Amino acid sequence: MSKKIFSGVQPTGNLHLGNYLGAIKNFVELNNEKENNCIFCVVDLHAITVKQDKDQLKKNIYETAATFIASGIDPYKSIIFNQSKVSAHTEFSWILSCMTPMGWLNRMTQFKEKAGKDKEKASIGLYIYPILMASDILLYDATHVPVGDDQKQHLELTRDIAQKFNKDFNCEDFLKVPEPLIKTNFSRIMSLKDGQKKMSKSDPSNLSRINLTDSKDAIINKIKKAKTDSFPIPDEEQKLKDRPEAKNLLGIYSSVSNQTLGKTLNEFDGKNFSDLKSRLAEILSDKISPISNEIKKLMDDHKYIEDILLEGANKADEIAEKKMKEIKNIIGF
Ligand code: TYM
């Protein structure tokens, strides 16, 4: 069955292995299924919910688009564009904001984490950010949304908003209720320095993550320095329960080599972490270095990336404007 796919990545720099294994790798697989229609968005409007430097933001928008292409998304098959070029996203987001109860937003754990202790100082944009995300998805009638585990709650909110809109305006099935596509086991890649913390762009320690622009040597060094524990590798998944660092490295290995965690455990059962680390460094650098090299090449050709983004924005705008017209009609504008 053909799927309508929509997903987004923020252009906030330091795209890492978590973004790749949790999201972008799945984008590529979905792009490669002939019958799917995919839209991959550089969500620059989401990025400005926290302060951005103008030149850096511009560079990060290009780099995110370059990462999509370098990872294997075909820009002539899928639509790649940046969100701020299609005004329907903000327009629809306002409409959805007017019908989303604050109580629903108050439950969002990511806002609590990102706003930190001083919630009063966080921007309103950061607070209503999940509504913008809902408008991204619902404008394109997406049936499936590939994301990492940290976006699960936002996807549930999107589903609730779609259902409420359809009910409030008595237009059953008008907004499509999307399904999240979250890979079990590999949807939450953890920091290499602390298995309890998510691998993240904003972690001050560069050793905590593998960046998609890292060189082969950097990858080998980071895996070598990754935190482990002092027990041998077990034979069963269950025995990894209280060993977050071990589980994370074995999960990364499984995801990169496209095999189940069970199969990886069979491969390394009884061995030491030094064996796992040297194999992991090898397969990771084989996977990531070509992407990293391609990103660098593409970043030298801004005109190419600009053309892809422009063409993508034109196509996305056509779809979104058509939906916006119907939305306005339903509302009574
Ligand atoms: P963002 O930019 O934070 O992350 C992009 C994608 O990477 C996934 N991800 C991870 N997956 C596994 N392990 C990790 N450590 C890890 N870190 C990040 C995220 O789950 C995400 O899939 N709100 C979204 C962007 C967005 C969006 C959308 C996504 C805006 N509109 C519409 C889907 C549909 C975000 O901030 O992702």
Side-chain angles (χ1 to χ4, degrees):
M1 197 193 76
S2 96
K3 302 186 188 91
K4 281 192 184 170
I5 308 292
F6 185 98
S7 198
V9 174
Q10 291 196 59
T12 36
N14 289 342
L15 284 185
H16 52 71
L17 190 66
N19 298 123
Y20 179 72
L21 297 180
I24 300 170
K25 181 169 179 272
N26 305 336
F27 300 176
V28 177
E29 286 165 14
L30 291 159
N31 164 92
N32 290 346
E33 286 170 22
K34 214 167 78 208
E35 64 281 9
N36 293 343
N37 291 307
C38 303
I39 304 181
F40 300 114
C41 186
V42 179
V43 289
D44 49 7
L45 294 167
H46 277 91
I48 63 160
T49 52
V50 294
K51 198 164 185 286
Q52 299 292 331
D53 171 81
K54 178 184 165 189
D55 295 330
Q56 192 60 43
L57 177 62
K58 207 163 204 163
K59 178 177 170 272
N60 289 340
I61 292 171
Y62 286 132
E63 196 169 275
T64 308
T67 304
F68 287 169
I69 300 166
S71 303
I73 295 172
D74 175 357
Y76 301 105
K77 179 172 188 294
S78 297
I79 295 176
I80 296 178
F81 77 107
N82 60 314
Q83 194 184 24
S84 61
K85 288 287 192 292
V86 177
S87 56
H89 290 249
T90 35
E91 202 175 359
F92 189 32
S93 177
W94 173 253
I95 292 169
L96 294 180
S97 297
C98 294
M99 42 141 305
T100 304
M102 275 172 70
W104 289 8
L105 286 180
N106 288 340
R107 288 205 292 269
M108 296 297 110
T109 51
Q110 201 169 73
F111 173 75
K112 290 177 197 159
E113 280 163 28
K114 288 200 173 170
K117 285 202 187 83
D118 202 352
K119 275 215 292 279
E120 300 292 311
K121 283 201 176 137
S123 72
I124 296 286
L126 191 65
Y127 180 64
I128 60 169
Y129 154 128
I131 302 181
L132 179 60
M133 179 160 162
S135 95
D136 299 340
I137 297 166
L138 301 175
L139 266 179
Y140 298 93
D141 294 332
T143 58
H144 295 83
V145 183
V147 281
D149 178 70
D150 62 343
Q151 297 300 319
K152 196 171 167 190
Q153 197 184 31
H154 293 161
L155 254 280
E156 279 157 12
L157 181 80
T158 300
R159 291 167 59 87
D160 289 343
I161 291 176
Q163 279 159 339
K164 184 168 188 297
F165 184 100
N166 291 343
K167 191 156 166 269
D168 286 0
F169 294 102
N170 205 7
C171 52
E172 201 185 334
D173 227 22
F174 172 70
L175 293 182
K176 302 286 171 273
V177 181
E179 295 293 331
L181 290 178
I182 299 175
K183 294 254 165 164
T184 30
N185 268 337
F186 316 128
S187 59
R188 197 172 185 84
I189 304 298
M190 309 309 275
S191 154
L192 298 179
K193 287 279 147 201
D194 178 352
Q196 314 270 10
K197 257 173 54 185
K198 199 180 69 170
M199 185 178 284
S200 138
K201 295 168 184 171
S202 54
D203 194 313
S205 166
N206 198 33
L207 286 176
S208 69
R209 67 180 161 263
I210 307 272
N211 295 310
L212 296 180
T213 48
D214 277 346
S215 67
K216 209 169 185 147
D217 287 348
I219 294 171
I220 293 168
N221 184 42
K222 286 179 182 181
I223 293 296
K224 206 190 254 172
K225 294 201 166 131
K227 189 173 169 198
T228 50
D229 55 38
S230 49
F231 307 103
I233 294 168
D235 53 352
E236 281 175 40
E237 249 176 91
Q238 237 187 351
K239 295 181 186 158
L240 286 169
K241 209 170 129 257
D242 298 315
R243 300 177 60 188
E245 283 85 14
K247 188 167 182 210
N248 191 37
L249 290 184
L250 289 157
I252 294 173
Y253 184 90
S254 309
S255 179
V256 177
S257 47
N258 289 319
Q259 64 185 27
T260 60
L261 190 55
K263 182 141 190 273
T264 301
L265 288 174
N266 278 343
E267 196 176 326
F268 290 100
D269 173 21
K271 293 197 172 134
N272 294 320
F273 279 105
S274 57
D275 299 316
L276 171 66
K277 281 183 165 185
S278 60
R279 273 294 290 139
L280 181 59
E282 201 178 324
I283 61 162
L284 258 183
S285 52
D286 283 353
K287 185 84 205 170
I288 302 300
S289 310
I291 296 177
S292 154
N293 292 338
E294 190 59 24
I295 295 173
K296 281 183 198 119
K297 243 200 267 162
L298 289 166
M299 287 303 281
D300 286 336
D301 193 354
H302 269 192
K303 173 82 175 68
Y304 173 74
I305 302 281
E306 245 164 45
D307 287 349
I308 298 284
L309 287 173
L310 181 65
E311 197 182 315
N314 288 338
K315 287 185 191 156
D317 195 55
E318 202 175 304
I319 304 170
E321 272 310 315
K322 186 162 168 273
K323 191 77 180 175
M324 235 10 256
K325 253 199 196 128
E326 293 170 4
I327 291 164
K328 285 181 179 167
N329 198 22
I330 284 173
I331 286 177
F333 285 159

